C-alpha cells in the first residue's frame, strides 16, 4: 500500500486511549484527528497521541477530508447516531461493541453503510486474535474434519 489510512477517533475515554496506543503499532495507519465534546480534552489527547488535529466537536472531525475511517468510542447508546453521521459524511466506521443496542439500530447502520458505499465494522477484536485466526484457518482447510461442537469462553479479571 502506498498511502497510509487516515484515522479519526471520537469519544476520548478509556477504550479510545487503548485504541490510540494500538494504532501506533499499525504500519499503514495514521492518527489524523481526535474529537471530544470538550476541546481542551481533545487537545490533551491529541498531543499525547501525536494526532495531527484535535477537535472540540465530533462533527468537525467528520468534515476533515484527510480522515477516511472514524473509530467510535462513545457509550453504547450513542453509537448509532454518530456512526450514521460519520457515514453520511462519507467516512468508513469502526464502531465499538455493541454496534447498536437493538436489531433495528444495527439495520439502520448497515443500510447507511450500503447507501454511502463505506466500510462498517463492529470492533470485535477477538476475530483478529492470532490464535482464533489460526483455528479458523485449520477448520477452513478441513484439518480437523467437520466441526460438530464448539465451546468457547471469554473472560478476564475485571475488578479494579
Ligand atoms: N472492544 C472492547 O474490547 C471494548 C472494551 C471496553 C469498552 N468498549 C466499548 O467502548 C465504548 C466506550 O467505553 P469506555 O470504557 O471507553 O467509556 P468511557 O471511558 O466512559 O468513554 C466514553 C467517551 O464517550 C464520550 N461520550 C459521548 N457522549 C457521552 C455521554 N452522553 N456520556 C458519557 N460519555 C460520552 C466521552 O468522550 P468525550 O468527552 O471526549 O466526548 C467519553 O469519554 C462502550 O460502548 C464500550 O462498550 C469496548
Amino acid at each position: 500500500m502506498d498511502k497510509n489510512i487516515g484515522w479519526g477517533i471520537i469519544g476520548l475515554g478509556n477504550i479510545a486511549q487503548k485504541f490510540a496506543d494500538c494504532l501506533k503499532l499499525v504500519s499503514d495507519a495514521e492518527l489524523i484527528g481526535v474529537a471530544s465534546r470538550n476541546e481542551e480534552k481533545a487537545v490533551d489527547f491529541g498531543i499525547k497521541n501525536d494526532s495531527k488535529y484535535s477537535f472540540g466537536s465530533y462533527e468537525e472531525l467528520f468534515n476533515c477530508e484527510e480522515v477516511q475511517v472514524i473509530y467510535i468510542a462513545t457509550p453504547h447508546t450513542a453509537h448509532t447516531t454518530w456512526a450514521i453521521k460519520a457515514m453520511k459524511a462519507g467516512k468508513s466506521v469502526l464502531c465499538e461493541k455493541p454496534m447498536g443496542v437493538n436489531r433495528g439500530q444495527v439495520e439502520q447502520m448497515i443500510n447507511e453503510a450500503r447507501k454511502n458505499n463505506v466500510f462498517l465494522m463492529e470492533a470485535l477484536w477477538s476475530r483478529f486474535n492470532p490464535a482464533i485466526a489460526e483455528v479458523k484457518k485449520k477448520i477452513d482447510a478441513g484439518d480437523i474434519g467437520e466441526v460438530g461442537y464448539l465451546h468457547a469462553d471469554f473472560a478476564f479479571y475485571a475488578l479494579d
Side-chain angles (χ1 to χ4, degrees):
M1 192 176 291
D2 57 356
K3 201 167 174 281
N4 284 344
I5 296 171
W7 285 83
I9 304 177
I10 70 162
L12 308 179
N14 175 44
I15 200 72
Q17 182 54 58
K18 290 191 176 169
F19 180 81
D21 290 340
C22 293
L23 202 63
K24 290 171 192 147
L25 306 173
V26 181
S27 56
D28 67 355
E30 192 177 348
L31 184 57
I32 299 290
V34 295
S36 169
R37 296 162 302 165
N38 175 310
E39 192 170 0
E40 207 178 313
K41 185 180 170 192
V43 170
D44 287 349
F45 190 100
I47 291 170
K48 185 174 173 199
N49 295 287
D50 300 324
S51 177
K52 191 167 177 187
Y53 305 109
S54 303
F55 299 107
S57 78
Y58 300 162
E59 286 90 346
E60 282 173 274
L61 178 62
F62 300 161
N63 290 329
C64 177
E65 288 192 357
E66 292 165 63
V67 172
Q68 279 105 52
V69 193
I70 304 280
Y71 168 65
I72 296 186
T74 62
H76 312 7
T77 47
H79 289 174
T80 302
T81 305
W82 293 115
I84 287 179
K85 285 189 185 191
M87 291 189 282
K88 278 191 193 300
K91 308 301 184 194
S92 289
V93 165
L94 178 64
C95 183
E96 255 316 333
K97 302 190 309 255
M99 201 142 92
V101 296
N102 56 43
R103 180 183 170 143
Q105 285 195 349
V106 175
E107 281 173 353
Q108 272 182 49
M109 293 163 83
I110 292 170
N111 288 340
E112 201 60 42
R114 292 200 171 120
K115 203 156 76 184
N116 294 288
N117 196 26
V118 292
F119 179 83
L120 166 69
M121 185 183 161
E122 188 177 50
L124 199 75
W125 55 267
S126 45
R127 182 171 174 166
F128 301 98
N129 180 299
I132 289 178
E134 189 58 28
V135 169
K136 173 90 167 56
K137 207 162 86 187
K138 287 193 188 310
I139 292 170
D140 290 347
D143 289 359
I144 63 167
E146 196 179 329
V147 178
Y149 176 76
L150 186 147
H151 176 104
D153 291 304
F154 174 68
F156 55 90
Y157 187 71
L159 295 177
D160 194 25

